[in-house]
Amino acid sequence: VGRIVIEGNQRTDESVIRRELLVHTGDPYNYENILLSRHRLARLGIFRDIRLDPIETESSGPIRDLKLSITERPAGSVEFGVGIANEEKIRGFIQISHKNLAGTGRWISLRAEADFIEQRYVLTYVEPWLAGLPIDWQLTVLFEKKEEVTFDRLTYGGKTGFEKNLTPQLKFSLFYRYTKNRFSSIVPGTTLPTEEQDRVNIGSIVPSLILDLRDDPFNPHRGSLNSLSFEDAALSLGSEVQFVKTTASSSWFFSPHPLIVLALSGRGGLARQFDITPFVPLSERFYLGGRSTVRGYKQDTLGVLGETLTTTLDPTGGNITLLTNVEVRITLPKSLGLVLFLDGGNVWPKASAVTLSEMKFSTGAGLRYNTPVGPLRLDWGYKLNREVNVLDIPSGHRYSESRYEIYFTLGHAF
């Protein structure tokens, strides 16, 4: 590789472009690195067209000069959208962002989301190539108000940290998170970790790894998606409560026939309080049930009766969870698809209480309509071992879980 000439960058500083290139003057001419360089530049989201081609001359010899031609897109944008889902009903968002502040590649965004159960406002700032290193530093400020199944939660705070692509498929992140949480409308029988019983401040450090080997992030046919996350909340980090929390997931995709995909997923989590903290906070416990976990159950309503489920069938969350999903995805004509699934899982108060016979299962089928950003899906889930005729002694009433649930949303369950 000889000289690398850049043209077309009217607003973007040349150093922002060159730091993304995997080919440099003096390197062996490697076409794969040229393609990866174009891909890295495209991920910035500030260019409409990118061309990196050799400059042909009559006497090129063993040295080839390269010309990088780019066309910039407007860095500022206003995006908005509306949608529907079975839990949130009507929802919408608006986002104002700028992805190339002063031509440096820095970006900032303000996003507001709202539906019938949640309002969320997020301010995000990203500093790429922190201190000249290929590390993206991020600052996020958050305000959220949400109606959970057994309580209402008001959260404000934020997180700061960095993300680093160790390889094109492997990403590592490390964040410090601090949030103030206020609880209200708490279902009787739900325990909280503080004497005040309605508020808790959490400061924690959260490292995580994601290995993405899927052939298509929106509609995978082959490969796998694997993640591991750890959270440590401690007094030394500004937290009022102390706990550790580990979550792991692995999803695999196989295509035995061009029209069939077999999708398998396993997820698990373990949380444990320590020192003087009596309980893991409500907002940090594990909950299952809903369109992306165990279909057939309403959102977050799964549990073990008398342990993580009250006699009125209200969930209190658990410190350990196991989840498994199996799907057979069948491609139909006209961008349609059929899915057959089996889901299973539960949440328990502690590891010693885990009994696999208490896993609850559901089965069902769904329709898909493929779009460029993932499939629209309609799922029907039927409970295989529901709670029936449970007596609540204080009230004298009996409660039963519904036989099935219907879900409508965008994207695969996993």
Side-chain angles (χ1 to χ4, degrees), residues 15-33:
S15 64
V16 173
I17 299 171
R18 290 192 179 275
R19 69 192 182 191
E20 299 294 336
L21 299 180
L22 296 178
V23 289
H24 306 90
T25 299
D27 288 350
Y29 190 91
N30 186 315
Y31 187 64
E32 182 179 356
N33 284 346

Side-chain angles (χ1 to χ4, degrees), residues 23 31 55 71 90 117 204 216 249 265 278 298 310 387 395:
V23 289
Y31 187 64
I55 301 175
T71 303
I90 299 176
I117 63 174
S204 62
D216 183 342
S249 67
S265 179
K298 291 184 178 180
T310 69
E387 300 290 346
S395 66

Side-chain angles (χ1 to χ4, degrees), residues 175-179 201-206 231-243:
F175 284 93
Y176 170 75
R177 180 173 72 103
Y178 184 82
T179 58
N201 300 338
I202 300 173
S204 62
I205 190 137
V206 187
E231 182 173 6
D232 181 15
L235 299 179
S236 60
L237 296 171
S239 183
E240 293 180 343
V241 291
Q242 301 194 103
F243 64 89

